[in-house]
């Protein structure tokens, strides 16, 4: 009687539980797929906006002409009663004197979420996005030259590139995406995008900033967010969770409506529409940075 060798793999018995995989799949991105491309695109976008709008005569003429449409100041803007500029009015954060308190409250919330969720890496990255964006815009406003190429009036020679009021909601929105719960991230991004659309339109239509300054501030926040997700791949992977399919369409539709209302003026339709369009572009940029690109990267990584 010959003895046969036992099979190398045990036969599967019906009803027996299947063997669990050795290691669960984690949503971390491999080093070879770190999302460095968005950061480079945002840097190029920031430089393009600055060079075309600030450093060319036709760019300066186009933006200076907007100030000649309608009356000077923001009294004709629909959002003026909420701007804090009106006597006795409460500013909509972060307009007027509420800018610094808004940043401080935002940093405190990020710190608390970091401690509660113990997400040390993303928490540090989120704090860095806010601090570098708000601090970087101060440095850039004082160092980037604004040459007078068209003989503009003195009141149009002030350097405001990039806009500080717009940088705050953009940076806080992108920072929140890094530290909130994965299931909450798409909705946190949606709320932040709507807030940004309102503030960006108000900053542009009330005469405090040119459209290029509003766009520059948003791109600056996206630059530091892109750098954070490049240096911290787990942060980019964490943002890959998508919400309902209708959420992007709903969010951007509401952002366009908010931008139109916040940018509206009684005295000029052109300036109102330009301000609204600028604010909508800012909202779309932040939405794509926070939700669109991480989801695209996750789908591409899953196919590979």
């Amino acid at each position: 009687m010959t003895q046969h060798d036992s099979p190398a793999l045990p036969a599967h018995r019906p009803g027996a539980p299947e063997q669990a995989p050795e290691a669960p799949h984690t949503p971390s991105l491999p080093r070879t797929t770190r999302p460095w491309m968005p950061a480079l695109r945002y840097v190029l976008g920031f430089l393009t906006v600055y060079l075309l709008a600030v450093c060319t005569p036709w760019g300066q003429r186009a933006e200076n002409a907007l100030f000649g449409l309608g009356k000077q100041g923001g009294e004709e803007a629909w959002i003026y009663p909420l701007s804090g500029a009106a006597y006795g009015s409460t500013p909509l954060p972060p307009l007027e004197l509420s800018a610094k308190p808004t940043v401080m409250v935002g940093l405190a919330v990020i710190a608390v979420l970091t401690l509660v969720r113990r997400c040390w890496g993303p928490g540090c990255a989120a704090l860095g996005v806010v601090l570098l964006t708000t601090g970087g815009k101060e440095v850039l406003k004082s160092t980037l030259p604004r040459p007078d190429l068209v003989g503009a009036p003195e009141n149009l020679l002030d350097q405001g590139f990039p806009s500080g009021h717009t940088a705050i909601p953009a940076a806080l929105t992108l920072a929140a995406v890094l530290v909130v719960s994965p299931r909450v991230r798409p909705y946190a991004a949606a709320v932040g995008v709507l807030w940004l659309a309102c503030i960006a339109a108000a900053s542009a239509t009330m005469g405090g900033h040119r459209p290029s300054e509003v766009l520059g501030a948003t791109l600056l926040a996206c630059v530091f967010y892109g750098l954070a997700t490049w240096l911290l791949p787990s942060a980019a992977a964490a943002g890959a969770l998508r919400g309902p399919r209708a959420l992007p369409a709903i969010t951007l539709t509401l952002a366009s409506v908010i931008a139109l209302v916040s940018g509206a003026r009684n005295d000029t339709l052109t300036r109102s529409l330009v301000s609204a369009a600028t604010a909508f572009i800012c909202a779309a940029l932040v939405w794509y940075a926070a939700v669109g690109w991480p989801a695209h990267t996750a789908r591409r990584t899953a196919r590979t």
Side-chain angles (χ1 to χ4, degrees), residues 163-263:
S163 165
H165 292 104
T166 306
I168 293 173
L172 288 177
T173 298
L174 294 171
V177 169
L178 294 173
V179 295
V180 297
S181 171
R183 296 186 180 278
V184 178
R185 279 172 186 137
Y187 305 100
V191 173
V193 160
L194 300 182
W195 180 31
L196 173 62
C198 176
I199 300 303
S203 298
T205 198
M206 288 176 44
H209 289 285
R210 299 167 175 82
S212 64
E213 296 166 356
V214 173
L215 284 173
T218 303
L219 288 167
L220 183 64
C222 291
V223 166
F224 290 118
Y225 176 79
L227 290 175
T229 54
W230 175 30
L231 299 174
L232 190 67
S234 60
L241 183 65
R242 294 179 295 171
R245 288 187 176 182
L247 185 61
I250 294 174
T251 300
L252 293 180
T253 300
L254 290 176
S256 65
V257 173
I258 291 175
L260 284 170
V261 175
S262 302

Side-chain angles (χ1 to χ4, degrees), residues 65-66 68-71 76 205 263-274:
L66 292 175
L69 300 175
K71 300 178 181 179
E76 294 296 322
T205 198
R265 293 177 62 96
N266 295 320
D267 54 352
T268 167
L269 178 61
T270 301
R271 187 168 173 180
S272 301
L273 293 177
V274 171

